Amino acid sequence: MSRNYSLFLAAAAVSIALTACRTAPRSAEGKADIRADSDAALVLAKASDPSMTKVCQDAYGSAVFPKVGKGAVGVGGAYGKGVLYQDGRMVGYCDLSQASIGLQLGAQTYTEILCFEDQKSFDRFKTGNFAFDAQATAVALKSGSGANARYSDGVSVFTMDESGLMFEAALGGQKFSYRAL
């Protein structure tokens, strides 16, 4: 694949993603669905790894993305909508977008949970200028893994329930946006 063609595909994927994505669902039904899915994802995370209960209680806040879809053929992308919680209360909607380029092929769906260590990291997320670089690492949830998670720059990242198959050796990063209730 030529370099110009790859750049064209990357630009097209990002343009489509940006025009198709909204941080908050438009309808009352969409809002209820994303909240129910996020609540269910938290329950499942805590059931899969009981140490997540303490991780979530100790965190200043958390962002839950119950269904992140990711796909790639050379150029890749991911997108998911979620809910931002503080003290167990929903305070807004958020979304995750990712673009990557490199050796990658496939598709998968997963849940991503971000736990914020303090008000500073939580407020930084809410500005809409929050992003992870390619070096950010996530902990795959399984029994006991939450207890071993460490904060990096004020955030711990957890993933679970991956389905699909994805081969990836690519560079990319995640960007987040937020909208208050």
Side-chain angles (χ1 to χ4, degrees):
M1 188 177 325
S2 77
R3 182 170 183 229
N4 288 339
Y5 184 68
S6 295
L7 291 173
F8 169 76
L9 286 177
V14 169
S15 295
I16 290 168
L18 291 176
T19 58
C21 304
R22 286 182 136 344
T23 300
R26 290 183 184 194
S27 68
E29 181 180 320
K31 290 176 182 178
D33 287 348
I34 193 67
R35 182 169 187 165
D37 290 348
S38 296
D39 289 345
L42 274 177
V43 168
L44 182 59
K46 292 172 184 177
S48 298
D49 180 359
S51 66
M52 280 300 292
T53 299
K54 181 161 177 37
V55 170
C56 291
Q57 286 173 342
D58 291 347
Y60 187 85
S62 60
V64 179
F65 302 93
K67 296 175 188 168
V68 179
K70 182 176 186 177
V73 179
V75 175
Y79 182 76
K81 291 182 184 235
V83 170
L84 187 66
Y85 296 93
Q86 182 179 14
D87 297 323
R89 296 179 297 105
M90 179 181 163
V91 296
Y93 298 96
C94 45
D95 67 5
L96 169 162
S97 56
Q98 177 179 342
S100 57
I101 190 162
L103 186 58
Q104 52 192 334
L105 176 65
Q108 66 184 162
T109 304
Y110 60 95
T111 297
E112 185 165 310
I113 300 171
L114 281 63
C115 292
F116 302 98
E117 184 175 26
D118 51 31
Q119 183 175 356
K120 180 181 175 184
S121 58
F122 187 78
D123 289 346
R124 192 173 76 238
F125 179 86
K126 289 171 41 178
T127 67
N129 294 319
F130 192 81
F132 289 136
D133 63 18
Q135 275 63 50
T137 58
V139 174
L141 279 179
K142 57 187 176 202
S143 186
S145 62
N148 298 321
R150 301 288 177 252
Y151 287 103
S152 175
D153 201 21
V155 182
S156 284
V157 183
F158 303 91
T159 61
M160 68 175 190
D161 285 334
E162 294 192 9
S163 63
L165 182 60
M166 183 90 181
F167 170 78
E168 184 171 22
L171 292 177
Q174 292 183 337
K175 172 96 172 112
F176 301 89
S177 62
Y178 167 75
R179 181 170 169 212
L181 290 178

